[in-house]
Amino acid sequence: MIIDKSRGMFLAAYSFIFVATVPWNLTHGFSDVDDQIIWSELSAEFLQVKKKELSGSKEIYKGSRKCMYLMNHSTMADLFLIDIILESRTSYLARYGVILFCPLPMMVTLFTNSIWFFKRGGRGEDLEPFFQFLDRNFNFLMTSRAHLGCFPEGHRSVKPYMLPLKTGMVRYAYERELLVQPIVAFGIENAMSEYTFRLDWTKGALIEYYSSDIIDPRDYKPDADSKVPKSDRNLQGFHKTVEKIINKSFEENHAKVDPTNNREKYLRDGEERDLYTNAPIGSKCAAMREYVTQKRRKKRH
């Protein structure tokens, strides 16, 4: 790999974020239990990240009832830059592979329990053991953060549309009656990205975000006294509503982000770009969901 200026900056940033901040965490954080925010703040400051709340965004939930923040997943940098948006109110769910990307900072999470690692796949239809794993982490003494943040798409993506949502975490929220707040963010891939291995911290990055209304799964229970139509008072109706809201938030807000955060540049020329361009606003995520689903089916066969 040729080490040009932007790649050199990436390597320097990686060394600082995933190596130099660890001694600070380990020596300053134990008195406060939750010291991951130190890592997040130092990293965001080093990368000169600025955050901007998009117009119409709702207040991020700060209450005592357990809440699950559902977010789009852009890059590995989500684990520390979304912390700036949520002001370190949430633990994160991440697969074990993340440890290989940043092994030293993950040492800190052994003490804070701010990242809950799991093994991807292999669970089949029986999700109860996985749900019990989540219950144990919520109730663990060292878990200082009241809420849980997860990426229900299941994969990282910098495309200008949401990938299809996995059902597991939505089902967990429904069965355990956790509040759900969808949040979409744009620009994290410009702060630091493993896709290009390039960055320029002299320019900084603008992270724009939008928080949707809170969704209460209790309103979707069959015996609920709510305004939700009876036909939608079930898990399927809850999942449909969650996906509809996060897709709507993504589409409407992607259309008004700063030009540097516009993701259309990541579309492949040909079928993908044509399909996205021709789909009307409000239907782009749905159209692309079908496109992604068909591609995955072809890949499996």
Side-chain angles (χ1 to χ4, degrees):
M1 180 187 295
I2 298 175
I3 306 298
D4 56 19
K5 178 183 176 182
S6 58
R7 280 194 173 127
M9 284 186 169
F10 179 90
L11 293 173
Y14 183 94
S15 299
F16 177 82
I17 293 170
F18 300 134
V19 179
T21 59
V22 172
W24 177 278
N25 275 288
L26 293 176
T27 57
H28 291 71
F30 292 131
S31 60
D32 191 23
V33 179
D34 181 9
D35 61 329
Q36 182 176 319
I37 189 60
I38 301 173
W39 172 42
S40 300
E41 288 178 344
L42 286 173
S43 302
E45 183 177 354
F46 181 76
L47 294 171
Q48 299 189 45
V49 168
K50 297 179 181 178
K51 66 177 182 178
K52 175 185 176 182
E53 186 175 15
L54 293 167
S55 61
S57 177
K58 310 302 186 295
E59 183 179 2
I60 293 177
Y61 179 73
K62 301 177 183 178
S64 58
R65 183 177 163 189
K66 291 177 182 177
C67 179
M68 183 185 295
Y69 304 107
L70 297 183
M71 302 163 288
N72 60 302
H73 194 8
S74 303
T75 76
M76 291 290 192
D78 290 340
L79 284 176
F80 57 92
L81 292 182
I82 284 182
D83 221 31
I84 303 302
I85 296 173
L86 298 178
E87 299 173 4
S88 67
R89 293 190 188 92
T90 180
S91 297
Y92 296 93
L93 194 62
R95 59 189 179 88
Y96 278 112
V98 172
I99 297 176
L100 299 176
F101 181 71
C102 45
L104 289 177
M106 295 304 103
M107 292 168 52
V108 177
T109 68
L110 297 176
F111 302 97
T112 64
N113 201 41
S114 52
I115 299 180
W116 305 348
F117 294 104
F118 70 97
K119 180 181 178 182
R120 173 182 282 176
R123 289 186 291 273
E125 296 297 324
D126 183 13
L127 294 177
E128 189 56 31
F130 179 61
F131 291 174
Q132 291 176 7
F133 156 79
L134 297 175
D135 293 340
R136 288 194 299 271
N137 277 281
F138 261 122
N139 298 323
F140 185 52
L141 178 64
M142 294 295 288
T143 302
S144 60
R145 299 176 174 210
H147 312 302
L148 176 63
C150 65
F151 309 104
E153 295 170 286
H155 299 275
R156 287 163 287 148
S157 172
V158 291
K159 300 293 186 178
Y161 55 84
M162 291 287 297
L163 299 177
L165 300 192
K166 303 288 186 179
T167 59
M169 293 310 297
V170 177
R171 176 179 158 187
Y172 178 75
Y174 181 79
E175 293 186 2
R176 298 318 196 250
E177 297 186 348
L178 273 63
L179 296 174
V180 168
Q181 185 170 35
I183 299 173
V184 294
F186 308 92
I188 291 178
E189 67 278 3
N190 294 328
M192 189 172 186
S193 172
E194 65 273 21
Y195 294 107
T196 60
F197 290 100
R198 286 184 169 91
L199 60 81
D200 185 350
W201 66 64
T202 61
K203 298 178 181 177
L206 175 65
I207 297 178
E208 301 172 284
Y209 68 95
Y210 179 92
S211 306
S212 301
D213 286 317
I214 296 167
I215 310 167
D216 191 341
R218 293 175 181 173
D219 293 335
Y220 291 81
K221 299 293 183 176
D223 57 350
D225 181 16
S226 67
K227 297 180 180 179
V228 176
K230 288 185 178 181
S231 60
D232 287 337
R233 293 183 199 169
N234 48 52
L235 174 59
Q236 291 73 25
F238 180 65
H239 185 279
K240 181 176 69 175
T241 299
V242 169
E243 189 160 44
K244 180 180 179 181
I245 289 176
I246 197 169
N247 283 349
K248 183 173 184 288
S249 298
F250 190 98
E251 284 192 42
E252 292 181 351
N253 288 284
H254 179 261
K256 57 186 180 184
V257 297
D258 185 88
T260 59
N261 291 337
N262 189 294
R263 296 179 165 200
E264 291 187 28
K265 59 181 175 286
Y266 295 112
L267 290 170
R268 295 189 186 89
D269 290 333
E271 182 183 7
E272 184 183 40
R273 183 175 295 278
D274 293 343
L275 185 59
Y276 178 86
T277 303
N278 294 330
I281 294 290
S283 301
K284 290 185 182 295
C285 284
M288 301 312 294
R289 179 176 64 237
E290 184 61 28
Y291 166 78
V292 171
T293 301
Q294 289 180 1
K295 278 193 65 178
R296 288 177 179 174
R297 285 173 182 166
K298 289 179 181 178
K299 189 175 181 179
R300 284 197 296 266
H301 297 291

